[in-house]
Amino acid sequence: MNLNRRQFSAALLAAAAVPSGTFAADATLTVNKLVDPSKLIPIAISGFTGEVLSTLRFDLEVAGCSVVSADQAVALVHGTNGARLEGFVSDRAKNYLLTKGYAGAGARQLAHAFADDVVFALTRTRGIAQTRVAFKSKAANNTGEIFVADYDGHNAVAVTRDGSIIAAPSWGPGSQWLAYTSYKLNNPDIFSHNLVTGERHIVARYGGSNMSPAVAPGGRLVAMILSKDGKPDLYVADIHGRGLQQLTRSREGVSSPCWSPDGQWICYVSNDEGPALLYRIPANGGAPQRLRTTGVFNATEPDWSPDGKSIAFTTQGGGFDICVVPAGGGEVQRLCAGQDPTWAPNSRTIMFCKRGRGGPLSLSLLDVPTKRVKDVPLNFGNCSQPTWAR
Amino acid sequence: MNRSLFLKFAVLTLLSAVAITGCKKTPKNVTPIYGAKTNVDGRGGPTDPTFPQTSTNPRTPPTIGPGGDLPSTTPIRPETFNPPTSNPPTNFTPTNPEGGFRSAELGEFEGMLTDREALRGSTVHFDYDKSVVKATEVVKLQEAVKALKANPNFKLLVEGHCDERGTEEYNRALGERRALSVRAQLIKSGIAPTRLRTLSYGEDKPAELGHTEAAWAKNRRSELVLLKPKN
């Protein structure tokens, strides 16, 4: 089978249009394997060493590749690493999809940059290997700090040093703003925090609890749960806390809001009908609508995918499960055990929190179409409540 | 002649440089926060945030600056607060249509001494995923009612807690609902809403560590903390 580069990538893209004549039977098979996102892409990695190899392998496995021997792979990822990283992607007949050199950064960054290019060459979707996440790390005395790290848990930096109970970091999509709940002033209050300048503002410090902030796309607004009027209800204010507006007037109380990627809707959890269920409401006020979640009895901590198509959430039976449902409501798909999902910018990968019975809280990555889970190697305290920069 | 002019100029430049940079010192170990009434002691937080260049591409976030250390300017905005004031002492009417009572401002409770021991016996326990104060638990609140009626200048902090079954933010809201329903019981017993403050810890402050039903039952609770004036 002699595919040239253009034919090979065209074949990867278009499964339905299998060209006849020159293509052998196994070429058709290869093509089908690659375009079905629920199937792992078998690849072989050669030539790389040390941290570059381990970083690259982790990135590609999270992206839905499985690393196999060269004779079983449909794509060969090879190259060299020294001060400069040279990377190639080809099929087994040595038709090249990618040849590129990388320099001017540490080994991990070079490997991440190459991994993103490999993912794009194979799937024509943008990789997530160079993205970052924020999360909460909790010590034994219940106090915690907010950390920002690479999506694989490396290069973690503490962005707070308050030594108090802290919770629910939310990274505003496309912005440098983080919001979180801190007990620093002896009450659960909501702070906004600019990650570039380090400036902080009090968004909400009202009587009662001020909880679960969600920064809107663009970072201008914050949705949050306040109990100042007698029930935990949904409110929206700007990132400095000005112009507070109450959106819900619930009987039983609401929790954990998230924004639609266009900023028009807020999805949240309400107990008004007994069990915790998902609702959505226009962000500038209006009537709440129940979101059907067929197949589960309760739903908490929703997160709307950046492509707007689905909502990930946690359901609870004996343990916690990560689920997804179409953004308009409908049949629920259970994915794996875990809680508090956050979508990656590619609307395909999810980071979530795993809780071993009695064990510490830790973070894991889930590739939604293949349902494959990979743990994030972090070695400090209980890590939970991830929020992806997107 | 030229030389002395140059010297004068140099001294002037040096002085102005000192004047400009010298005034910008931020006190160490203090984390002032916009909107807070007072500066709050931090624990050695970084005091000199760096200002890396802003990236316009959200996919490549710039260097992360350390957490906020900026001068406090404005006081807390009390904006939308109408604390219920002139209510009759025993019969309170809800201040919003859903039957809830507005919270008093946090400033009303500032500087009061906390006594966690006085009402230790009044800790109320709840059923799984419920915020209703059971009839068997209501009697535990009598001690708190007595203490508040005997000392009109005492106030009360009602804390809500959850077991670890439940997602973190769901539990934070559930804890608040528990604290609010204890507060509603106390209001029913004739305590003014303005004397009661609620706060939820969710599952962050378990009374007992452990992953058994016995431990969970102890953690689903509302603790009452007596607040006494300083003098």
Side-chain angles (χ1 to χ4, degrees):
Chain A
M1 63 179 222
N2 278 324
L3 307 181
N4 68 26
R5 188 185 163 187
R6 219 150 118 216
Q7 278 170 325
F8 185 79
S9 42
L12 294 177
L13 285 172
V18 178
S20 55
T22 54
F23 284 88
D26 64 279
T28 318
L29 204 96
T30 306
V31 168
N32 282 338
K33 259 188 201 158
L34 281 165
V35 291
D36 181 356
S38 68
K39 292 224 169 67
L40 294 169
I41 303 173
I43 58 160
I45 303 178
S46 60
F48 300 106
T49 56
E51 198 165 24
V52 169
L53 177 62
S54 58
T55 307
L56 185 62
R57 190 183 169 119
F58 183 91
D59 289 348
L60 294 179
E61 285 182 342
V62 168
C65 298
S66 69
V67 179
V68 296
S69 64
D71 55 326
Q72 291 167 324
V74 296
L76 307 176
V77 177
H78 52 108
T80 54
N81 57 276
R84 182 180 153 86
L85 188 155
E86 309 251 353
F88 309 95
V89 179
S90 68
D91 68 2
R92 288 211 309 258
K94 294 274 190 283
N95 297 300
Y96 281 84
L97 288 169
L98 173 70
T99 56
K100 208 165 170 183
Y102 303 81
R108 301 196 67 84
Q109 285 105 304
L110 297 183
H112 285 318
F114 178 50
D116 274 351
D117 284 340
V118 173
V119 169
F120 189 74
L122 293 177
T123 67
R124 284 286 177 263
T125 55
R126 291 186 81 166
I128 51 162
Q130 300 176 82
T131 58
R132 291 209 227 188
V133 293
F135 54 88
K136 152 194 173 179
S137 170
K138 185 168 143 181
N141 64 357
N142 299 323
T143 67
E145 307 295 350
I146 303 297
F147 282 76
V148 167
D150 292 350
Y151 93 109
D152 61 0
H154 285 264
N155 299 320
V157 179
V159 293
T160 61
R161 295 191 192 170
D162 294 334
S164 55
I165 293 177
I166 201 157
S170 165
W171 198 322
S175 81
Q176 309 300 342
W177 285 100
L178 203 65
Y180 44 80
T181 304
S182 172
Y183 290 66
K184 182 182 173 68
L185 304 175
N186 299 317
N187 195 64
D189 304 317
I190 295 170
F191 294 175
S192 60
H193 184 140
N194 188 312
L195 290 171
V196 177
T197 63
E199 72 182 284
R200 293 206 282 187
H201 300 270
I202 290 181
V203 179
R205 178 167 156 75
Y206 298 99
S209 290
N210 307 278
M211 309 171 275
S212 311
V215 183
R220 211 175 58 79
L221 298 172
V222 184
M224 58 204 150
I225 307 296
L226 310 180
S227 70
K228 69 187 192 69
D229 287 310
K231 283 271 151 46
D233 264 309
L234 177 64
Y235 293 75
V236 171
D238 78 5
I239 197 77
H240 303 287
R242 296 172 298 219
L244 188 73
Q245 192 197 354
Q246 183 173 2
L247 293 190
T248 65
R249 293 181 189 279
S250 74
R251 275 176 289 118
E252 289 299 321
V254 304
S255 64
S256 48
C258 72
W259 290 81
S260 67
D262 61 4
Q264 298 296 305
W265 294 89
I266 296 168
C267 178
Y268 64 96
V269 174
S270 168
N271 285 82
D272 277 3
E273 291 173 44
L277 295 168
L278 299 183
Y279 291 76
R280 65 177 198 176
I281 193 167
N284 45 16
Q289 303 166 2
R290 181 59 213 290
L291 212 71
R292 273 189 313 115
T293 44
T294 312
V296 295
F297 298 110
N298 61 70
T300 57
E301 303 194 329
D303 191 44
W304 210 307
S305 67
D307 64 7
K309 287 180 187 158
S310 39
I311 291 171
F313 62 91
T314 313
T315 194
Q316 198 185 359
F320 300 103
D321 283 322
I322 304 289
C323 299
V324 286
V325 67
E331 201 71 37
V332 169
Q333 194 194 357
R334 262 175 213 262
L335 297 171
C336 66
Q339 59 174 305
D340 205 358
T342 178
W343 285 99
N346 64 1
S347 295
R348 169 174 173 144
T349 316
I350 281 175
M351 184 176 276
F352 65 97
C353 173
K354 235 188 207 175
R355 168 149 37 187
R357 210 180 152 93
L361 298 165
S362 61
L363 300 178
S364 291
L365 291 158
L366 164 70
D367 184 44
V368 173
T370 61
K371 296 192 184 179
R372 196 159 64 163
V373 171
K374 280 191 80 70
D375 293 341
V376 177
L378 282 164
N379 53 3
F380 49 97
N382 285 284
C383 297
S384 66
Q385 301 197 312
T387 173
W388 212 308
R390 57 189 188 217
Chain B
M1 192 63 177
N2 261 348
R3 201 176 155 202
S4 75
L5 202 72
F6 172 77
L7 267 175
K8 266 183 197 165
F9 183 70
V11 165
L12 201 75
T13 319
L14 208 71
L15 275 174
S16 55
V18 166
I20 289 163
T21 53
C23 294
K24 275 210 138 181
K25 270 260 159 64
T26 321
K28 270 240 154 97
N29 296 339
V30 168
T31 305
I33 294 172
Y34 276 139
K37 259 181 188 157
T38 47
N39 291 356
V40 180
D41 286 335
R43 295 192 321 179
T47 50
D48 185 23
T50 47
F51 291 82
Q53 71 282 18
T54 313
S55 162
T56 46
N57 180 2
R59 291 179 63 84
T60 52
T63 325
I64 303 303
D69 301 283
L70 285 154
S72 127
T73 44
T74 43
I76 301 172
R77 300 151 293 98
E79 300 186 13
T80 51
F81 278 119
N82 317 304
T85 42
S86 57
N87 281 323
T90 50
N91 185 22
F92 301 103
T93 44
T95 49
N96 67 21
E98 290 74 39
F101 291 88
R102 289 226 166 97
S103 303
E105 269 183 72
L106 287 172
E108 306 277 321
F109 302 91
E110 211 161 81
M112 295 187 82
L113 301 171
T114 58
D115 184 350
R116 302 198 72 93
E117 292 308 315
L119 299 172
R120 193 72 54 217
S122 297
T123 299
V124 173
H125 290 90
F126 295 85
D127 285 342
Y128 168 66
D129 199 19
K130 291 282 185 296
S131 58
V132 180
V133 185
K134 291 182 283 185
T136 50
E137 301 289 312
V138 172
V139 290
K140 292 188 184 172
L141 298 174
Q142 281 320 303
E143 209 184 321
V145 173
K146 229 187 284 169
L148 287 167
K149 285 193 170 160
N151 305 280
N153 53 353
F154 282 13
K155 293 180 181 183
L156 191 72
L157 166 63
V158 185
E159 291 179 357
H161 299 266
C162 303
D163 66 26
E164 61 181 10
R165 292 174 304 164
T167 48
E168 284 186 61
E169 290 312 295
Y170 177 76
N171 276 344
R172 210 171 302 281
L174 176 61
E176 182 66 18
R177 280 155 58 203
R178 286 178 175 159
L180 287 166
S181 66
V182 167
R183 179 170 176 263
Q185 278 296 335
L186 294 168
I187 293 168
K188 226 191 246 177
S189 307
I191 309 297
T194 43
R195 296 172 68 191
L196 304 168
R197 179 188 158 194
T198 58
L199 180 167
S200 172
Y201 282 108
E203 59 186 77
D204 277 333
K205 268 195 174 179
E208 190 157 311
L209 295 168
H211 311 282
T212 60
E213 179 48 46
W216 291 330
K218 281 184 187 157
N219 290 337
R220 296 190 296 264
R221 69 200 193 279
S222 174
E223 290 185 14
L224 304 183
V225 181
L226 204 57
L227 302 173
K228 298 173 177 172
K230 260 196 175 129
N231 303 310

